[in-house]
Amino acid sequence: MRLISGSARLRDAVRLGRRFPRRGRGRWFGLAIDLVWPVLALSSRLRLRGTLPAGGVLVATNHLSFADPVTATAFCLAAGRVPRYLARADLWRIPLVGRVMRSGGHIPVHRGTARAQDAYRDAVRAAADGECVVFFPEGTFSDDPAHWPARGRTGIARVALATGVPVVPLANWGTHRLLPRRRPPRLFRRTPVELTAGPPVPLDDLIGLPLTAAVLREATDRIMAAITGQLAEIRSVEPPAA
C-alpha cells in the first residue's frame, strides 16, 4: 500500500513517473503510458492524494472528460497498482488501440449482445485474482451543469458484492478543463487537476444478501455518495442534496 501526497510541481511529476510499476503493464499498454505520462505532466498541475490497498480492489471514479482514463491510470500507478479498465468492445477492433487494450489486460464490454455478461464474469475474475479494476459507474460523462456525478449504474456493485473486494471512491476534478468535450484541449497550460481517493465504501452489511435490484441500488448509491463526498472536499463546496 503506497500513500500518495502528490505535488503539482513538474519536477515531482517527473520523479513520480519513474516510480510507476512496470510489471504487468504489457508491452503496448506500457508504451502508451510512457508516451502519455510526459504529456499529462506538462499539460497539468496534477495533485494525487490517497492510497489503494493491495490485492483485489475496485476503483470507482466520476467521469468528466476523455482525459479521465489517463488521470485515473496515473493515480493507480502512483499508488503502485496497474489498472484494468472496462471499455466498449469496439475499441479492440481499432488496430493500435486494440493492441493497447489487449496487452493491458483490459475488459471488453459487449453492450446489447449475447456476450454482454462476459464483462461481469471477467471483472469478477480479475478482482478475485487480485487485480485493480477501474469503473466509471456513470457509464458516460456527467451532464450536470455543476459537474456533479450522475446516478451510477449497478455493474460495479454487482462485482463488489459477488467478490467482497473493497471499493475505493476516487474523485477526479479538472479534466473537464484540461480536455473539454466540445472545445480544443488546453495542452501545455498546466491546468490544475486533482484526484483524491477516500476510504473503502462500507458494503459489508450487503455482502451475502440476494443480489436484488434494491440491494444493488443501495450499494451503488453508497458508492456514488462516497465519490461525491470526495469531490466536494476537493472543490471545497457542499455536495448537492441527495
Side-chain angles (χ1 to χ4, degrees):
M1 184 182 299
R2 182 186 301 172
L3 178 67
I4 310 170
S5 182
S7 170
R9 292 183 298 181
L10 180 58
R11 65 182 181 182
D12 292 332
V14 173
R15 291 171 184 163
L16 180 63
R18 292 172 181 162
R19 300 198 302 269
F20 286 169
R22 306 195 71 84
R23 180 175 297 178
R25 301 193 323 187
R27 177 183 177 186
W28 289 97
F29 186 43
L31 177 60
I33 290 168
D34 290 341
L35 292 174
V36 173
W37 170 248
V39 177
L40 179 62
L42 287 169
S43 59
S44 67
R45 289 188 285 123
L46 191 64
R47 290 187 179 274
L48 308 174
R49 300 184 187 279
T51 189
L52 293 176
V57 61
L58 308 181
V59 176
T61 186
N62 57 311
H63 206 358
L64 298 171
S65 162
F66 287 116
D68 296 339
V70 175
T71 55
T73 296
F75 179 91
C76 293
L77 292 170
R81 305 301 307 269
V82 177
R84 313 299 181 195
Y85 287 91
L86 282 81
R88 65 181 194 273
D90 59 342
L91 292 176
W92 272 253
R93 295 192 289 272
I94 302 174
L96 184 56
V97 175
R99 290 186 179 185
V100 171
M101 303 306 287
R102 279 187 291 272
S103 77
H106 303 299
I107 299 169
V109 179
H110 302 270
R111 292 177 179 170
T113 73
R115 299 182 61 189
Q117 289 296 314
D118 289 1
Y120 167 74
R121 178 203 64 199
D122 294 343
V124 166
R125 181 182 300 162
D129 287 344
E131 298 280 6
C132 172
V133 184
V134 180
F135 282 78
F136 293 95
E138 297 162 277
T140 186
F141 300 134
S142 172
D143 286 330
D144 184 84
H147 304 292
W148 292 107
R151 196 180 199 214
R153 300 181 180 180
T154 60
I156 185 171
R158 188 178 294 276
V159 175
L161 297 180
T163 60
V165 304
V167 178
V168 173
L170 178 64
N172 171 51
W173 184 247
T175 52
H176 57 299
R177 299 189 184 105
L178 174 67
L179 188 59
R181 292 169 59 185
R182 298 180 180 90
R183 297 193 302 275
R186 295 168 55 91
L187 295 179
F188 311 117
R189 297 183 186 181
R190 306 223 64 213
T191 302
V193 174
E194 185 166 349
L195 288 89
T196 301
V201 180
L203 298 174
D204 290 350
D205 59 312
L206 302 179
I207 294 174
L209 297 179
L211 297 183
T212 63
V215 168
L216 293 172
R217 176 45 53 194
E218 173 64 22
T220 304
D221 288 347
R222 291 185 194 180
I223 292 167
M224 298 310 299
I227 297 171
T228 302
Q230 290 298 128
L231 187 59
E233 289 188 18
I234 293 176
R235 299 173 63 176
S236 299
V237 298
E238 288 293 324

